[in-house]
Amino acid sequence: MSSISSESARRRVGILVFDGVKMLDFVGPAEVFVEANQAVNGYEVVLLSADGQDVQTSIGARVAVGGAAAEAGRFDTVVIPGSELPASVFVTPEVLAAARHLSAHTRRLVSICSGTAVLAELGLLDGRRVTTHWKYAPDLARKFPAVEVEPDAIFVRDGNLYSSAGVAAGVDLALALVEEDHGADVARRAAQLLVVYMQRAGGQSQFSASLTGPLPRSPLVRTVVDLICANPAFPHTVQTLAAHARVSVRHLTRLFRSELEHSPAEYVAFIRFGVARDMLHAGCSVTEAAMGAGFGSSEALRRAFIARLGISPRKYQQRFRTTGSAKWSALPEPAIAAVS
């Protein structure tokens, strides 16, 4: 493949930044477009702010911009990144005005992470399918019921509207945009140069926090939870758990749904899944993890991983297990796996 081709016109990519912008949200996609330029003369990346002034990013670094959004002309693609700040803080009238102008002067509109909050406030997401970072998805769906939120997607396309999950998922989406514009070979070359996956399997559940739902409120439910956690591989049934607590099956089920938002059987499944995942992190084989967590067989564990995370336990272990050369230890994850 030639290093630079002059046959294709450069596409202008405008990225709206603002005080508190998540740096990786815009740097990641920008680097993808720049790397693609090593294969094709494909992109001109322009950073913009509402007033043309420099902005301070999430890590405190100040970033210079190419100008004000209202004076920047037309773009092929406009990217609206997100922020760790609450939407009530970073979605200012000035940011909304800039995003409104840019959205009217582009062929393709992209949001990264909580950048969806900006577009949702403008009404641009009504009746559209979008995704966002898993931790913002419930609030987005609740505040904007007209928006169809897909909380587990890495990225989503709905017509000329594109959205991605948080931070590094912007790289995934940018690679997809490059492939759409210039083909798989160019996108693959950019991915190779950045040393990232061309396409990641699975959804956001494989990256999200493990802790889900409230803790037990009553001593009775705590007693049953402690029993499950102490020996997850035991063949627990709702009958044996109810007998241990000396209550009826119906009463125990009602308490679990009230306090933990799940049935006893669902809770046992969550605990077992979390134990199996921790064992994979520790370097156990898939078979060892399946037996140790009470799945009965590696095939049963494989089905559980596919159902919950969209990825096999072996691939999960390959991608998320700490390497032998790592100097830092990952924080231990709580036992309950994320609900997909």
Side-chain angles (χ1 to χ4, degrees):
M1 182 183 300
S2 61
S3 58
I4 296 290
S5 169
S6 60
E7 296 178 0
S8 57
R10 290 166 66 86
R11 299 170 185 262
R12 296 189 79 215
V13 178
I15 303 178
L16 178 63
V17 294
F18 44 83
D19 286 336
V21 64
K22 186 81 170 179
M23 195 154 187
L24 189 54
D25 276 7
F26 73 89
V27 170
E31 288 288 3
V32 170
F33 295 124
V34 171
E35 290 292 350
N37 282 342
Q38 296 198 39
V40 293
N41 188 23
Y43 300 98
E44 173 193 0
V45 178
V46 183
L47 298 183
L48 306 163
S49 66
D51 57 6
Q53 299 300 308
D54 297 354
V55 302
Q56 185 167 316
T57 70
S58 57
I59 65 171
R62 296 202 65 82
V63 172
V65 300
E71 301 170 358
R74 289 198 60 82
F75 290 91
D76 174 81
T77 303
V78 163
V79 178
I80 310 295
S83 173
E84 287 289 347
L85 297 172
S88 59
V89 175
F90 82 87
V91 184
T92 63
E94 294 76 17
V95 169
L96 287 173
R100 180 183 293 109
H101 176 85
L102 290 171
S103 66
H105 294 82
T106 187
R107 176 183 69 89
R108 188 166 60 184
L109 187 59
V110 176
S111 71
I112 310 295
C113 193
S114 60
T116 50
V118 177
L119 302 184
E121 285 285 355
L122 294 174
L124 298 176
L125 304 186
D126 290 355
R128 310 293 290 273
R129 293 169 47 251
V130 302
T131 193
T132 188
H133 193 289
W134 57 266
K135 70 178 181 180
Y136 301 127
D139 287 340
L140 182 68
R142 184 166 49 250
K143 186 176 181 182
F144 301 99
V147 180
E148 185 179 342
V149 181
E150 298 190 8
D152 197 45
I154 298 294
F155 59 83
V156 169
R157 176 187 179 182
D158 187 336
N160 69 337
L161 175 67
Y162 300 72
S163 56
S164 83
V167 288
V171 172
D172 297 277
L173 176 51
L175 286 169
L177 297 177
V178 170
E179 181 175 6
E180 183 179 291
D181 295 340
H182 299 289
D185 287 344
V186 174
R188 187 174 299 108
R189 177 61 174 163
Q192 290 170 339
L193 291 170
L194 292 170
V195 197
V196 297
Y197 287 113
M198 176 72 165
Q199 181 179 21
R200 285 186 287 175
Q204 291 190 64
S205 296
Q206 60 188 308
F207 306 98
S208 60
S210 297
L211 186 61
T212 63
L215 296 173
R217 297 193 300 271
S218 67
L220 188 151
V221 175
R222 166 55 65 187
T223 297
V224 177
V225 165
D226 288 345
L227 175 67
I228 296 168
C229 293
N231 190 1
F234 186 82
H236 298 291
T237 67
V238 65
Q239 288 80 15
T240 63
L241 296 174
H244 177 79
R246 298 181 179 180
V247 296
S248 68
V249 167
R250 177 177 295 181
H251 185 58
L252 183 64
T253 300
R254 182 181 62 80
L255 287 176
F256 261 69
R257 290 199 179 279
S258 174
E259 297 186 25
L260 302 177
E261 301 178 358
H262 299 290
S263 71
E266 290 170 338
Y267 192 84
V268 170
F270 294 157
I271 292 295
R272 287 175 175 166
F273 186 84
V275 169
R277 190 163 69 169
D278 289 344
M279 292 181 70
L280 292 174
H281 288 170
C284 295
S285 69
V286 174
T287 299
E288 290 169 338
M291 296 299 105
F295 278 89
S297 69
S298 57
E299 175 58 24
L301 180 59
R302 190 190 73 82
R303 289 197 300 267
F305 263 76
I306 295 295
R308 292 181 185 277
L309 304 183
I311 188 173
S312 73
R314 189 174 304 281
K315 287 185 177 179
Y316 175 88
Q317 186 178 53
Q318 290 170 348
R319 289 177 182 163
F320 295 98
R321 197 175 113 191
T322 302
T323 63
S325 60
K327 301 300 183 184
W328 296 347
S329 297
L331 292 175
E333 297 184 2
I336 307 174
V339 180
S340 59

